[in-house]
Amino acid sequence: MTIPIKYNAAQAIHDGDAPLIIIGPNGSGKTRFGLQLAEWNDAETIAALRNIAIPQNIPMQSLTQAEQELTSHKQRHRQQPWNISSEINNLFAKLMAEDAASAIDFRDNYSEGAEPEITKLMQLQHSWERLFPGRRIVFKGYTPKVTSEYVAGEKEYAAQSMSDGERVALYLAGRVLDAKPGVIVVDEPEVHFHSRLAMQFWDELERLRPDCRFVYITHDLPFAQSRQASGYLIVKPGSDPQITPVDQGLPPDVAKEILAAASFSIYADTVVFCEGTESSVDQQVYRAYYNDRSIAVVPVGSCRDVIKCTEAFSDSGIVQGMNAIGIVDRDYWPEAFLDSLPEAVHVLPVHEIESLLCHRGIFFAVSEHLGNQEEVSEELYREFLNEAAAQFTGKLKNKQVSERFKNRCADQFNRALNALRVQESDVSMRQNHEEELNPSKWATPPQDIMDAELTIVDLAVSSPDEHLIRVLPGKVYWSLLIRKLGLSRDAYIGLIVDALVANDSSPLSSLRDKLREVMDEFMPACQQGASADPPSAGG
């Protein structure tokens, strides 16, 4: 069955029967859009604010009365969606009335060979018991009770004293089983569930209702990723929600990073992907430098992760009017690799972020802020360069040469692999493969690569200047620079971050201006609104 979901009465946005995920953070307008989607599709809606208090005694009603009261509750909630959904009594009254009517019908037609009907209440009981092994629920006498193997002493207890997870599972399963065929919009489907139970629970209900198309409204990324979704609707204030099949052709981890960026960056015009994690120096410095609510900085791991996320985000058009750029460390990458990067990926002109924090201009700005005269700062920085260079002797120096050599050779080898050709003749193919992978055929032979990298590293060590922070990893030597200023690592980073976000009235405003003057030469400009100017000095 193909169940399209529509934006309005005339326009289908996605055919098929797989779930659709509306994703975004709190306050982004997900629920409001979900209600509109429900109205356009005449869909069932299951609210996030829901009363799950199961009564001790379910009201005994006729099927007609139960249906009317349940419908009345649903209509009232559509008109006042900010109120708690409180149709639970009528829901179970209807399910029990249907079950009773089915039993009577079977009894009356038993002599004619009638088969007992599997009612919605029976399906509900079986599904709930599969999800909660060792427990059994019965509705005998309109008083729901649970029997459990895990309760010491009295094993039977009233359903109203079940856990929140048990009760919400019973309510949600009842609502889904009672829904008419078509679209069902479920707001916050994961609430009160352990993450694994949430996945199993909705797998079960999707299996039971193949005649329904599920639309989930969530800000829970693990749950969103657990659905075999046909697409994601990213909700951002100020523009129409954008649908994207972000999982198609992308590794799951990359898709998750992109969804995270799109979902929490609801006010952003630009997403900056960088290396590292949420606790790394990269994101601390970049978020301070791009101190603007229209710019979101998202650390995603390695250099290649930055490249994948930047390309995928740009190509998929997840959110209309949002740009993506990437920032990667120069690291040990060969020039050929760096030159091949997409235009949206910016390469730091130094080895890594720690190297940038050892730049002469940044050091002098901090040193002056701490009260040092220019000649003192000059002497301290010269001492730092000499001590930093002195670290790179013997094995540590050779490690730098080796890493650079390996990366350049890997680049050449990959080019050779791309030149391999499958041929009709085994002999010809062997000859082709052996020749292409012979290092003597490389544009630059391995011995020349080694000589070149030795020269580059030797120059950085023997004549320490700006070449040192470009070629050699800052993690090795930046503690030497920080000690010259009498600071700890955290104090140094904290001072730089605080200065970058300082306002004009702050005592750090002068340091802010000097830091930004240096960093503006290194950092890519981000589009803010219609302009592409770098962040202002006021942050």
Side-chain angles (χ1 to χ4, degrees), residues 16 52 62 117 146 249 269 388 410 476 533:
I52 57 170
S62 68
E117 177 189 14
V146 176
D269 295 320
V476 174
D533 297 330

Side-chain angles (χ1 to χ4, degrees), residues 313-350:
F313 192 97
S314 300
D315 294 344
S316 64
I318 289 177
V319 181
Q320 190 175 33
M322 183 180 281
N323 305 304
I325 64 172
I327 304 176
V328 297
D329 297 339
R330 171 167 289 276
D331 215 328
Y332 298 106
W333 298 111
E335 294 296 329
F337 172 77
L338 298 177
D339 291 342
S340 70
L341 294 181
E343 185 178 354
V345 177
H346 176 82
V347 182
L348 282 183
V350 292

Side-chain angles (χ1 to χ4, degrees), residues 2 68 104 106 155 164 204 331 404 447 485 529 531-532:
T2 298
Q68 289 175 343
I104 292 171
F106 172 68
K155 293 186 177 182
D164 287 347
E204 172 82 359
D331 215 328
R404 296 176 65 85
Q447 59 269 27
L485 297 171
S531 71

Side-chain angles (χ1 to χ4, degrees), residues 62 69 134 179 226 228 238-239 295 325 369 495 509:
S62 68
E69 292 197 14
S226 75
Q228 296 297 316
S239 63
I295 302 172
I325 64 172
H369 175 77
L495 178 59
S509 61

Side-chain angles (χ1 to χ4, degrees), residues 173-185:
R175 281 297 312 273
V176 170
L177 289 168
D178 185 60
K180 63 182 181 292
V183 177
I184 302 178
V185 179

